[in-house]
Amino acid sequence: MQFLPLGSTTNVTAQIAWPHPDFDGAFLPVSHELRAGGYTAHWQVLELNRAVPQLWHGESLGHTALLGTAFGVRLYQPADIYSQNYRAVRYGILFVAITFSCLFAWEHLVRGLRLHPMQYLLVGVALATFYLLLLALSEHTGFGMAYAMAAGALVALITLYLAGATTNPRSVLGIGTALSASYGALYLILISDDNALLYGSLLLFAILAALMLATRRLDWAKVTCS
């Protein structure tokens, strides 16, 4: 919904039964009230605030300049399950890379442990299956419950699978805890509309710092691929 401030003083009051407004245009409302069932907004635009004159002759004022003074509101649709799944997939490459980096560091920090490329491949397939499972479950249970079920199943599967590669239960528990924390942080990013970039940047920095601190004494010159 858009309005043109053609009067010397333009007053507009809108009361709409929609709880997610997105005010846009050349002027923001001077006051607004948000409620669970809708919102009320009031605009006041004076002639001196506009970029166009009060009077003009013929086509001396173009349509672009006139429409550039419009203001109003859009009925914003918050993230539904499909947009949240899409956002999760956009972070997929990041979390696959983080998981493999954690496994690589874990492999060289645990004495006598070497993972086969086939094990990396199976873990990667499990990570990719998580997003398909998340989409399928969210259509029936809602996004929050589906995410908890899919992430829990994935973390349990990878932890149990890697438990067969080492006899050190503490190291396996560390990997499971790290994966649980990572997917918990990813959920906070997915449900955040305004701070997703901030949370994602902080998470990436925290994981990078943890990997650097964990491998700071590792002699990379002696690291060989299994």
Side-chain angles (χ1 to χ4, degrees), residues 5-6 47 49-56 61-62 65-69:
L6 299 181
E47 178 185 352
N49 300 133
R50 295 189 320 238
V52 299
Q54 179 65 31
L55 301 173
W56 66 89
L61 180 66
L66 181 61
L67 295 179
T69 63

Side-chain angles (χ1 to χ4, degrees), residues 111-157:
R111 186 171 300 175
L113 175 64
R114 286 296 180 269
L115 296 178
H116 193 273
M118 190 63 186
Q119 292 175 300
Y120 277 97
L121 176 61
L122 290 176
V123 171
V125 173
L127 291 171
T129 306
F130 162 76
Y131 298 98
L132 178 62
L133 185 62
L134 175 61
L135 175 60
L137 290 174
S138 61
E139 292 182 337
H140 300 278
T141 64
F143 185 79
M145 181 62 68
Y147 188 93
M149 295 170 61
L154 174 68
V155 171
L157 174 62

Side-chain angles (χ1 to χ4, degrees), residues 84-107:
Q84 288 175 321
N85 274 275
Y86 176 71
R87 290 178 67 180
V89 171
R90 291 175 62 185
Y91 286 94
I93 298 177
L94 172 63
F95 273 81
V96 169
I98 289 174
T99 302
F100 282 169
S101 300
C102 290
L103 291 179
F104 182 79
W106 179 62
E107 178 184 356

Side-chain angles (χ1 to χ4, degrees), residues 10-90:
T10 302
N11 288 283
V12 176
T13 300
Q15 184 174 0
I16 300 178
W18 183 260
H20 307 287
D22 182 15
F23 302 112
D24 62 353
F27 304 96
L28 295 177
V30 293
S31 63
H32 65 277
E33 179 183 357
L34 299 179
R35 300 180 300 275
Y39 68 93
T40 302
H42 177 71
W43 291 265
Q44 184 179 60
V45 181
L46 303 178
E47 178 185 352
L48 297 177
N49 300 133
R50 295 189 320 238
V52 299
Q54 179 65 31
L55 301 173
W56 66 89
H57 181 268
E59 297 183 356
S60 60
L61 180 66
H63 291 288
T64 302
L66 181 61
L67 295 179
T69 63
F71 61 91
V73 62
R74 295 188 303 116
L75 302 184
Y76 171 68
Q77 175 63 54
D80 56 11
I81 60 171
Y82 297 105
S83 60
Q84 288 175 321
N85 274 275
Y86 176 71
R87 290 178 67 180
V89 171
R90 291 175 62 185

Side-chain angles (χ1 to χ4, degrees), residues 128-192:
T129 306
F130 162 76
Y131 298 98
L132 178 62
L133 185 62
L134 175 61
L135 175 60
L137 290 174
S138 61
E139 292 182 337
H140 300 278
T141 64
F143 185 79
M145 181 62 68
Y147 188 93
M149 295 170 61
L154 174 68
V155 171
L157 174 62
I158 294 179
T159 303
L160 290 175
Y161 178 69
L162 295 178
T166 180
T167 57
N168 188 345
R170 294 182 61 183
S171 63
V172 176
L173 182 61
I175 283 293
T177 303
L179 288 175
S180 299
S182 298
Y183 278 87
L186 176 60
Y187 180 74
L188 295 178
I189 295 175
L190 296 178
I191 64 175
S192 174

